[in-house]
Each structure stands twice: as structure tokens, then as C-alpha cells.
Amino acid sequence: MGKPACSKSPGQREHPVLFLQALFLLLFFRHVSSQCKILRCNSEYVAATLNLRGADRSAGYCDALRSYSRCTRRTARTCRGDLAYHSAVHGIEDLMIHNNCSKEGPTSPPRPRPPPNHQGLEPLAMCDYEKSFVYKHGQAPSYQHCAAFGDPHIRTFHDDFHTCRVEGSWPLLDNEYLFVQATSSPVAKGSNATVTSKLTIIFKNMKECIDQKVYQAEIDNLPAAFEDGSVNGGERPGGSSLAIRERSAGRHVEIRAEYIGTTIAVRQAGRQLSFSIRAAEEVARAFTEEQDLQLCVTGCPRSQRISRSECCRGPVAAEVARALCKEMLPVEDVYFQSCVFDVVTSGDANFTMAAHGALEDARVFLPNAEKLHIFQAGAGCPRVSSSSFLLLILTSGLWVVLLHF
């Protein structure tokens, strides 16, 4: 066997004790930023070192210090300028030197989660999120809605609305329970417009309720089953709490995940896919700092956002697109603006159905009907003058006829 990863002389054993005393002061430091997670790192280090005994004590300290160091690196971005954070970082470096700990090596195992307290609930009720939530909190859970449709447009859980230039694969959701990835590609060869051409949805394993299930949809392939051919969560007692059903053959699939209070709609309109979700707020927020790229949570990165007011040149004139979209979307909100943008840039009238489907999903999924319509001034194509519109009116009628037949 090789040498242990760390060793410590008897004269150095007082250093962890002194550090722990300083650490407890940091735990109660009043000015720690609410965004900085250094207190969590501190508490994990304390828990890992409190009960170290015997011959493995030195190696255990080194394992705990390496875990502590890794934790501080993960939270570095949100802890800049935080006194407690910088004190911890310097303290770790000093202790690793004093204890002759190598930077590379094993780390402390994570603390086990306490077993869930489901006393008083029937076994199957644990897989009914709403019933379980009411039992524990005495009130119904709150819900949030997110959608991605068209070129693509993102409505976030916080009711922000972005139009994105994203191409390739991007995560819509990445949390403790769900992973959803959308893949975008050009609507046509040489086009700047992109559409969602593939969706991958992973329902992560939940011991009491479901096996892990994967759903994949691609253009012209909207299956009414999970990847393994099943239509529910498996053979576990709560397997029926995850179910998939076809609402319209090849056009609309709905997945209900009652065990996490979530419903998902996947649609195809023309040559594009759309995604809508109603998720329990607690589920939507169940992610770590490392899972910070989620379009449903933060929207499109700023570098990937585009203005819908830049859509006035394309295969279809803006006023023609307005006439088409007005048939399906009488309210000139962001769904209407998105429809006009998509029809203008793509020349495809099927985008009217994509925006209409997203609006209908929002109508069903939004907990507050007053938030259905979002209005963003100056975000859509500006209207042409009345004289210019008269010149377009015959063309408009011709386009409506051609695009419908």
C-alpha cells in the first residue's frame, strides 16, 4: 500500500479545533449574502469532522478539507466580495498545508438525506403530489407554467417572454425530477429562422413511485409511449402516477406526472415541435447552482435573444402575416407578435397553429388567468401606413388563399 493521502503530527491537532471555533463564528455572520451558499459548505465540513476518531482521523480531515474546497469552488461566482467566503477559502488552504493534505484525493461522502416523513399517508398517496402537499401544508400547492414554440419563443416560469436565435441542443429544464432538452435547427436550408425539431424528456427515477422514463419526439414522430414502449411509470406501486396519452394522433401528446404535480404537452404544427408544462412551484425550483442554464427558468441567454421588431422583411409581407395570425389570435399580445414574426421569417402559415396551440396550453396550465396575455410594447413588427396597406390588400388576399390550399 502507498502512503496515506495526508498525515499530521501531534503538534498540529489543535489547528482543526481553532478553525472550527472560527467556523462557528462564520456560521452566524450576519452579513452573508442570501445568494452565497458558503454557509452550506461550512455546515457540511463541520458535520464531516465532528465525529472523526481513531487511526483514520488524519485521512478523514484531509477528505473533509478536499470536499470543503470543492464546495467553495462551486459557489465562488455568487460569493465574490463575501467576507465569510474568503475567510473560509484562506482557512482551507492553511489547514491543508498544516495537515500535509494533497489537493487530489478522496473526498468525504455526502451527508445522507433524512428519510421522508410520510406518517399518516397511504403508500399510494405519496405518489399523488397534490394530496401529499395538502396533507403536509394544509393548502394546495402553487403552480408555474413554461412554454417553448415557434422560432423558438420562450415563456419562462416567471412570465418573461423571449425570442431566441438558439441552434443546437439547449436545456429547457434540469432539476431533481426532470430533464427536458430541445434541439433546434433551421426551418429551411439557408434560413436564419430555427424551429424545435426534437424534444427529449427524462422523468428521473423516484424510488417510491416510478422507474426512470425517457420520452423522445421528433418532427413527424410524436409517439404516444415512452422510449421503452410503456405508457406509464412502471411496475412500482405508484407507477400509474406517470401516464402518457395521445390527444390528437401525431399532433398532440399529453404526459401527466401526478407524483410531482406536473403536466406536459408536446405538439407538432407543420414542421416544428412545441413544449408546454405546468409544474408545481416546489418541483420547478428543485435545482442546484450547477444547473443554472435552464431556458424555462432564466430564459434565453442575452447573447441569444433577438427582437421581434426586426422581422419586417422575409418571404411574407408583415401585413399579410398579420392577417393570417389575426384569424387564430385576435388579441395582439406576445403570442400574436410571435406568430407574425414566424410567418414573416419562414413563409410558413403553419406557424399560426404553433402560436395558437401554445396559447391554448397556457389557458389550461396557467394558475392565474389574468396572466394569460403578455404585452410587450414595440416588440412586434410595426404597422405599415394605411396607404401602403391598400397597396398590399390584394396581395394579402392572394397569400391567404394560397397558404390555406
Side-chain angles (χ1 to χ4, degrees):
M1 299 295 289
K3 294 181 181 180
C6 59
S7 62
K8 184 168 68 172
S9 65
Q12 294 170 338
R13 293 181 181 175
E14 62 188 31
H15 293 287
V17 176
L18 293 174
F19 183 65
L20 282 176
Q21 292 173 346
L23 186 59
F24 279 115
L25 292 176
L26 292 175
L27 285 170
F28 296 101
F29 192 74
R30 300 176 69 95
H31 300 290
V32 175
S33 166
S34 60
Q35 295 299 318
C36 179
K37 305 299 182 184
I38 188 61
L39 295 185
R40 186 176 65 185
C41 300
N42 294 347
S43 63
E44 288 177 355
Y45 173 76
V46 171
T49 55
L50 277 178
N51 297 314
L52 290 177
R53 298 287 187 274
D56 294 332
R57 185 179 178 212
S58 296
Y61 270 120
C62 289
D63 293 351
L65 285 167
R66 280 189 287 268
S67 295
Y68 195 5
S69 179
R70 181 179 298 177
C71 185
T72 59
R73 289 197 298 271
R74 286 199 300 262
T75 194
R77 187 177 63 181
T78 56
C79 291
R80 291 173 185 168
D82 188 276
L83 178 60
Y85 168 77
H86 291 289
S87 298
V89 169
H90 290 303
I92 294 168
E93 293 175 355
D94 290 342
L95 280 175
M96 291 189 78
I97 293 171
H98 278 299
N99 291 289
N100 195 26
C101 297
S102 62
K103 292 185 178 181
E104 301 298 328
T107 57
S108 298
R111 284 184 293 172
R113 293 182 179 180
N117 180 15
H118 294 300
Q119 292 181 359
L121 281 176
E122 294 294 327
L124 289 181
M126 294 188 297
C127 300
D128 184 328
Y129 179 85
E130 187 164 326
K131 184 180 291 185
S132 177
F133 191 94
V134 170
Y135 179 85
K136 289 186 286 186
H137 302 284
Q139 62 183 23
S142 298
Y143 293 93
Q144 295 182 328
H145 168 59
C146 169
F149 66 96
D151 184 22
H153 312 283
I154 306 292
R155 178 174 183 152
T156 74
F157 283 136
H158 310 294
D159 299 318
D160 295 320
F161 197 93
H162 300 150
T163 296
C164 315
R165 66 172 83 250
V166 293
E167 187 173 344
S169 297
W170 292 75
L172 295 173
L173 281 171
D174 182 11
N175 62 38
E176 186 177 339
Y177 305 98
L178 283 168
F179 177 80
V180 181
Q181 179 174 274
T183 301
S184 297
S185 55
V187 67
K189 188 175 182 179
S191 173
N192 290 324
T194 60
V195 293
T196 299
S197 54
K198 181 178 180 180
L199 282 166
T200 301
I201 306 171
I202 300 176
F203 297 87
K204 298 180 182 180
N205 172 70
M206 192 167 177
K207 185 176 180 181
E208 302 91 341
C209 303
I210 70 155
D211 302 319
Q212 177 170 293
K213 293 290 178 177
V214 179
Y215 179 78
Q216 284 198 331
E218 297 184 65
I219 292 176
D220 295 332
N221 181 21
L222 207 67
F226 296 108
E227 204 173 42
D228 61 2
S230 65
V231 294
N232 59 33
E235 300 300 322
R236 298 182 185 183
S240 61
S241 63
L242 175 64
I244 184 171
R245 64 171 178 164
E246 192 171 56
R247 299 293 297 269
S248 177
R251 289 291 178 265
H252 184 190
V253 166
E254 184 179 89
I255 307 174
R256 289 184 175 270
E258 293 179 354
Y259 68 101
I260 52 173
T262 295
T263 303
I264 292 173
V266 178
R267 297 175 182 262
Q268 177 172 340
R271 306 293 299 168
Q272 69 91 42
L273 301 176
S274 62
F275 167 87
S276 293
I277 185 171
R278 176 184 186 257
E281 184 174 343
E282 186 178 50
V283 170
R285 293 181 174 180
F287 57 89
T288 66
E289 292 173 357
E290 291 75 34
Q291 297 165 308
D292 58 350
L293 180 58
Q294 301 180 66
L295 301 191
C296 274
V297 177
T298 58
C300 303
R302 289 191 178 277
S303 62
Q304 298 295 318
R305 298 178 194 175
I306 54 179
S307 169
R308 292 185 298 280
S309 63
E310 299 173 359
C311 71
C312 301
R313 293 183 181 180
V316 178
E319 288 302 323
V320 176
R322 282 181 177 277
L324 290 170
C325 293
K326 198 72 173 178
E327 293 180 16
M328 304 294 293
L329 302 157
V331 179
E332 296 192 15
D333 59 0
V334 291
Y335 294 96
F336 174 84
Q337 292 173 351
S338 300
C339 175
V340 174
F341 178 93
D342 292 344
V343 174
V344 168
T345 55
S346 70
D348 185 356
N350 285 303
F351 276 99
T352 61
M353 296 300 299
H356 179 262
L359 180 62
E360 290 306 300
D361 287 337
R363 199 184 302 278
V364 174
F365 289 166
L366 274 172
N368 185 352
E370 294 180 358
K371 294 184 177 180
L372 176 62
H373 299 290
I374 300 174
F375 298 93
Q376 292 179 344
C381 290
R383 292 179 178 276
V384 298
S385 64
S386 57
S387 59
S388 299
F389 181 68
L390 289 174
L391 295 175
L392 284 168
I393 194 70
L394 292 176
T395 308
S396 175
L398 179 61
W399 268 104
V400 170
V401 171
L402 291 176
L403 290 169
H404 275 289
F405 292 95

